Structures are given as C-alpha cells and as structure tokens.
Amino acid sequence: MDNLLKFLHARNEADNHAYAEVAYRFGGDALLDSHLPMLDLVDMLARDYEAMDPSDARFTGLRYALRVLAQSYAEHPDYQAEWRP
C-alpha cells in the first residue's frame, strides 16, 4: 500500500504542476473549478490513511477508496494492476 500512496502523491503533484502551467499560459479561467480541489481531497485521504491506525474501523474502507481513486491513473506506466480494488 505504501507504493500506492507514493504513486497517488506523485500523480497529484504532477497534475497540480500541469494545471499551474495551463493557468500560466491561458489564465485561471481555463481551469475547471472542481478539479484542483478534488486533487487536494484525494491527497488528504492518502495522508489520513498514512496516519490512521489499522485498528480504526474506517481503515479498510479508506484503503478500498484509495484503490478506486487510483484507477483514474490506470493508463499511467507506473500504475500496478495489483492496486485494483
């Protein structure tokens, strides 16, 4: 699961940089208002999972949710099939 979390953090960082470049070239209006906050929320879930005690009742569900969210990057060369939910 550590590799999945590192993967998600890296993808979110890459997406944030890509959107910053789009905003620089085309202006802030070129960005979808909902996409950047969504990246932040996925990153927040990954950080919550890292800090969560495995005995927490939410642990299993959060693990599943992160695997589902990672499927957005299934075409990325670093995505691993074992991460599928």
Side-chain angles (χ1 to χ4, degrees), residues 30-50:
L31 301 178
L32 295 174
D33 291 335
S34 63
H35 191 76
L36 292 176
M38 185 66 175
L39 290 175
D40 290 340
L41 291 172
V42 170
D43 198 53
M44 183 184 73
L45 286 175
R47 290 181 195 286
D48 285 352
Y49 180 86
E50 289 172 320

Side-chain angles (χ1 to χ4, degrees), residues 3-20:
N3 288 336
L4 174 62
L5 295 173
K6 288 176 188 173
F7 177 79
L8 280 173
H9 287 308
R11 299 290 56 80
N12 284 341
E13 185 175 325
D15 284 351
N16 276 318
H17 286 281
Y19 278 95

Side-chain angles (χ1 to χ4, degrees), residues 4 60-61 63-72 74 79-85:
L4 174 62
T60 303
R63 180 183 185 133
Y64 179 79
L66 290 169
R67 288 173 179 256
V68 168
L69 291 168
Q71 284 186 301
S72 299
Y79 181 84
Q80 298 177 17
E82 66 196 42
W83 295 336
R84 294 194 186 278

